[in-house]
Amino acid sequence: FPCLELARAALEAGGVAPIAMNAADELAVEAFVGHRLRFVDIPRVIEEVMKQAPRTQLKSFGDIIEADQEVRRLAAEVVAKAA
């Protein structure tokens, strides 16, 4: 279960990593359901987004929202390249 390992890694890393993992998973699954991505590519997308996600401090709710928007843009790019 590669996605489970990615979730554990995100939890251990903290910061933006759980946000990146969640956003990447949502967009990858959406692309899979829409027949734009293969099932086996879902963990690859998540891993790539987690690698490229910024390593910024989250000091406020606004920081969390901003990080989510940024990693969703990144996830959309990664999905588009993988499709």
Side-chain angles (χ1 to χ4, degrees), residues 36 58 68:
R36 297 185 322 270
L58 302 174
D68 183 66

Side-chain angles (χ1 to χ4, degrees), residues 16 18-24 26-27 49 53-54 56 58 61-77:
V16 177
I19 297 169
M21 191 269 168
N22 181 68
E26 287 181 5
L27 270 68
V49 171
T56 58
L58 302 174
F61 187 70
D63 291 345
I64 294 168
I65 297 299
E66 187 177 315
D68 183 66
Q69 291 171 344
E70 186 173 343
V71 295
R72 285 180 186 278
R73 282 191 297 274
L74 175 60
E77 292 173 11

Side-chain angles (χ1 to χ4, degrees), residues 5-72:
E5 291 303 317
L6 292 169
R8 286 184 178 139
L11 180 61
E12 288 178 17
V16 177
I19 297 169
M21 191 269 168
N22 181 68
D25 180 62
E26 287 181 5
L27 270 68
V29 169
E30 180 182 311
F32 167 70
V33 170
H35 305 286
R36 297 185 322 270
L37 191 70
R38 297 178 313 152
F39 181 78
V40 297
D41 291 329
I42 292 172
R44 292 181 187 132
V45 167
I46 295 169
E47 184 174 21
E48 187 60 31
V49 171
M50 287 176 64
K51 285 181 183 176
Q52 293 185 35
R55 306 280 191 260
T56 58
Q57 292 282 338
L58 302 174
K59 297 179 182 177
S60 69
F61 187 70
D63 291 345
I64 294 168
I65 297 299
E66 187 177 315
D68 183 66
Q69 291 171 344
E70 186 173 343
V71 295
R72 285 180 186 278

